[in-house]
Amino acid sequence: MNTLAREPQVKNMNYELMEAMAQIAREKSVDKAILVETLEAGLLSAGRKRFGPNANIEVRFDETSGRIVMRLKRSVVEDADDLGIEVDLAEARTIDADIQIGQELVQELSLEDLGRNAIAAAKQVLVQRVREAERERIYEDYHDRVGEMVRGTVQQVDRGNIYVKLDRSEAILPPREQIARDRYHQGDHIKAFIIAVDKLARGPQIILSRTHPEFLRRLFEAEVPEVAEKIIELKGIAREPGSRAKVSVLSNDDKIDAVGACVGIKGSRVQAIVRELGGEKIDIVPFSQDPVVFVTRALSPAKVLEAQVVEADQKILVTVADDQLSLAIGKGGQNARLAAKLTGWKIDLISKSERERQREFERKVRIDIEELQGAGPKLREKLIREGIETVQDLLKTPLTELLAIQGVGEKTAEKLLEEARALEATRSKELEVEAARAQEEAATAAAAATAKAAADAADAADAAAAASAAAAAAAAPAEETVSSSEEEVPDAPTAAAEPDDSEETPPQS
């Protein structure tokens, strides 16, 4: 009776288990063979928990019937010690009346025989294996797609993280990879750039970004066919997400204008990208191999007057008009900073007036080699041919290079260097005296201006006081007259309220 009562329940459990496996295979895109293998391993583990670690249990999935067949094999003995591998003769004969000692008893098992705890453990193993299989599938599908732009749907926004549904996978857009102006809600469509597929991550493995410079490149490829076809190259991208970006472009076809193609008719192409980035401004800069030309273009919209390359420091000294300096620097130094990132050069910005002051100072500091009395005309000519045109150049030249010049020995070199140091010290003192004099004159002029301003303020105060006194004196008699007239003529207020016809009559031309 027990066997007959339990059979429908066993069939029902098998059916539910098969349905659950089929559903998992469909929704998680996990191979059914992996599920079967995992389920078999889970049930084997559950059986050994129920009957002992040494139990000889066979678990097999029957594809034909869709049933899970479980068998426990034990040796028949008189008195069993290990119930996992042995069975008492008396117990064995309740199952098979003809069985003898030494024979093997094969006992069919059902899910109920394993117990609830064992089944729960098997279920946990299955769930864990499904997760692992799903993560493995996601990794295999997406690890080669790092660097691609993808489109998805916002599934959830939690603690700043945006969870995005991509086909049958889930990705995460962390706060650090979001544009500050972005505001997404559940169900919104979103574009992003795959920056990593993390196999060891506990949550979603696919990491997205909207702040990466390459995301901007993918947007240009989507909006500008010439970029996608490699007719126009994006040579460099410098970006401060959500605020501003600079992109250098180069056309491989002389008939196509790189900037015009990227901007589009009435700015349609670039504006589509700007909208996608939440209003981020984009400067499109024509690329040039000449660093001076490239830096000049990169500093747009500021107009550059002069640019000088300093190879030793890998920088470019840029001079702009006084009223263009703030534009070249940009808000918070943004324009100059992005230009430096785009070009790869350090950029020193200076106004025209400051550059002229620097040149004037350099002119005053410069000591031509002709002023070196210890060097004759021929020796000075040799020094100039070696690139030593000033006393400062001489002091910077290593002694070994000086000795390599024909006609310059150790004594001559020491003599030249000693005289050069003396000339430089003398010139420094002269400049210090001149600077002190200029400072004193400036202080005197400032003091005079302050005194004049104080005197002007005092005169203005006296004039104001005098005007106030005069106004008070003028007002006093008038008050007396009014009061006396009021005493003499009681009806005066009524008369004063009436308009004066003579004042209303317009003057005749």
Side-chain angles (χ1 to χ4, degrees):
M1 293 293 292
N2 291 339
T3 303
L4 293 174
R6 193 172 60 188
E7 185 66 21
Q9 188 174 0
V10 171
K11 288 183 177 180
N12 189 43
M13 290 177 70
N14 275 325
Y15 175 76
E16 290 180 358
L17 191 59
M18 294 303 103
E19 280 296 306
M21 288 175 61
Q23 185 178 359
I24 291 172
R26 287 193 305 270
E27 294 181 357
K28 301 295 184 181
S29 300
V30 178
D31 190 355
K32 189 176 179 181
I34 294 176
L35 292 178
V36 170
E37 179 186 343
T38 304
L39 183 59
E40 289 175 352
L43 291 175
L44 179 61
S45 174
R48 284 178 175 165
K49 282 185 179 181
R50 173 69 175 83
F51 296 100
N54 298 321
N56 184 9
I57 298 177
E58 176 191 347
V59 180
R60 180 174 55 83
F61 178 71
D62 187 352
E63 290 281 354
T64 305
S65 63
R67 292 180 63 251
I68 295 176
V69 179
M70 292 184 290
R71 292 188 177 96
L72 174 63
K73 298 179 181 180
R74 292 183 290 179
S75 299
V76 180
V77 296
E78 186 68 34
D79 189 9
D81 292 328
D82 187 347
L83 296 179
I85 57 176
E86 297 174 341
V87 60
D88 294 339
L89 177 61
E91 182 182 347
R93 284 183 172 173
T94 60
I95 300 172
D96 185 352
D98 299 329
I99 200 163
Q100 302 294 325
I101 292 176
Q103 292 183 341
E104 186 179 66
L105 176 67
V106 179
Q107 181 181 354
E108 293 282 343
L109 298 177
S110 67
L111 293 176
E112 285 187 336
D113 292 328
L114 301 182
R116 286 186 175 275
N117 292 337
I119 293 297
K123 179 182 177 183
Q124 183 62 33
V125 170
L126 180 62
V127 169
Q128 183 63 30
R129 184 67 184 94
V130 167
R131 287 177 181 171
E132 291 175 1
E134 184 183 14
R135 295 174 70 78
E136 188 67 28
R137 178 190 61 78
I138 291 173
Y139 182 78
E140 290 299 324
D141 288 350
Y142 283 91
H143 81 281
D144 290 332
R145 296 181 62 184
V146 172
E148 286 187 16
M149 184 176 72
V150 292
R151 295 170 175 81
T153 306
V154 176
Q155 203 170 27
Q156 183 183 1
V157 180
D158 181 32
R159 297 180 182 179
N161 295 306
I162 298 176
Y163 296 90
V164 181
K165 182 69 174 176
L166 303 176
D167 298 329
R168 294 173 297 179
S169 304
E170 186 182 56
I172 185 171
L173 182 63
R176 67 179 181 276
E177 300 297 340
Q178 299 174 24
I179 299 172
R181 298 180 183 178
D182 282 349
R183 296 292 182 273
Y184 284 100
H185 302 89
Q186 187 174 5
D188 290 349
H189 295 288
I190 187 171
K191 293 180 183 177
F193 178 79
I194 300 177
I195 58 172
V197 180
D198 188 357
K199 196 172 184 178
L200 302 177
R202 296 183 63 184
Q205 299 169 265
I206 305 169
I207 315 299
L208 304 179
S209 174
R210 284 176 53 81
T211 62
H212 199 284
E214 289 301 307
F215 179 52
L216 184 55
R217 184 188 299 276
R218 298 293 174 261
L219 289 174
F220 268 98
E221 289 175 355
E223 293 293 337
V224 184
E226 293 86 350
V227 174
E229 295 168 7
K230 308 298 182 185
I231 298 173
I232 295 175
E233 289 185 57
L234 270 61
K235 300 293 288 185
I237 298 173
R239 191 179 170 209
E240 293 190 358
S243 179
R244 193 170 186 176
K246 288 182 182 285
V247 180
S248 59
V249 295
L250 175 66
S251 176
N252 293 321
D253 188 340
D254 296 338
K255 297 178 182 179
I256 296 178
D257 174 29
V259 175
C262 291
V263 172
I265 299 173
K266 295 183 179 180
S268 58
R269 290 176 173 178
V270 74
Q271 284 303 318
I273 299 172
V274 169
R275 284 192 298 271
E276 176 62 35
L277 298 177
E280 183 175 319
K281 296 179 181 178
I282 301 175
D283 296 337
I284 302 175
V285 180
F287 176 79
S288 175
Q289 293 286 358
D290 186 339
V292 171
V293 175
F294 193 22
V295 168
T296 299
R297 292 171 177 173
L299 285 171
S300 177
K303 305 296 182 183
V304 174
L305 298 178
E306 181 185 356
Q308 179 182 353
V309 178
V310 184
E311 292 283 359
D313 299 331
Q314 191 64 19
K315 71 177 182 180
I316 295 182
L317 182 62
V318 177
T319 305
V320 297
D322 290 16
D323 60 350
Q324 292 279 302
L325 183 61
S326 59
L327 185 62
I329 295 172
K331 185 178 181 180
Q334 186 184 67
N335 192 55
R337 188 165 57 248
L338 287 175
K341 285 182 183 178
L342 186 69
T343 60
W345 286 83
K346 296 178 183 176
I347 300 175
D348 282 355
L349 283 167
I350 191 170
S351 64
K352 182 181 179 182
S353 58
E354 183 61 28
R355 181 61 176 151
E356 289 174 352
R357 281 194 291 271
Q358 283 187 357
R359 286 175 174 166
E360 179 63 20
F361 179 75
E362 290 171 0
R363 186 188 64 77
K364 291 179 179 179
V365 171
R366 178 186 174 96
I367 305 173
D368 292 329
I369 203 70
E370 283 81 1
E371 297 185 34
L372 207 60
Q373 299 299 321
K378 291 185 178 179
L379 180 55
R380 287 199 293 267
E381 186 177 344
K382 291 179 182 178
L383 292 173
I384 291 172
R385 279 203 300 267
E386 295 295 328
I388 303 173
E389 299 179 353
T390 66
V391 168
Q392 288 81 4
D393 294 339
L394 179 63
L395 291 172
K396 292 177 183 177
T397 304
L399 182 60
T400 53
E401 293 184 15
L402 284 178
L403 295 176
I405 299 173
Q406 186 179 4
V408 178
E410 289 188 11
K411 290 185 178 180
T412 304
E414 288 294 336
K415 183 180 178 182
L416 291 174
L417 290 172
E418 185 178 352
E419 184 182 352
R421 294 189 193 99
L423 283 172
E424 189 177 46
T426 302
R427 181 60 57 88
S428 296
K429 288 180 180 178
E430 291 174 355
L431 291 175
E432 287 176 5
V433 171
E434 184 178 341
R437 187 185 304 115
Q439 188 174 0
E440 184 179 348
E441 291 175 355
T444 304
T450 302
K452 185 176 184 305
D456 292 345
D459 292 344
D462 292 344
S468 177
E479 290 176 358
E480 292 177 1
T481 304
V482 170
S483 60
S484 62
S485 62
E486 288 177 353
E487 291 176 0
E488 294 173 0
V489 185
D491 297 333
T494 305
E498 295 177 0
D500 188 349
D501 294 339
S502 62
E503 290 182 2
E504 291 184 357
T505 305
Q508 297 180 357
S509 56

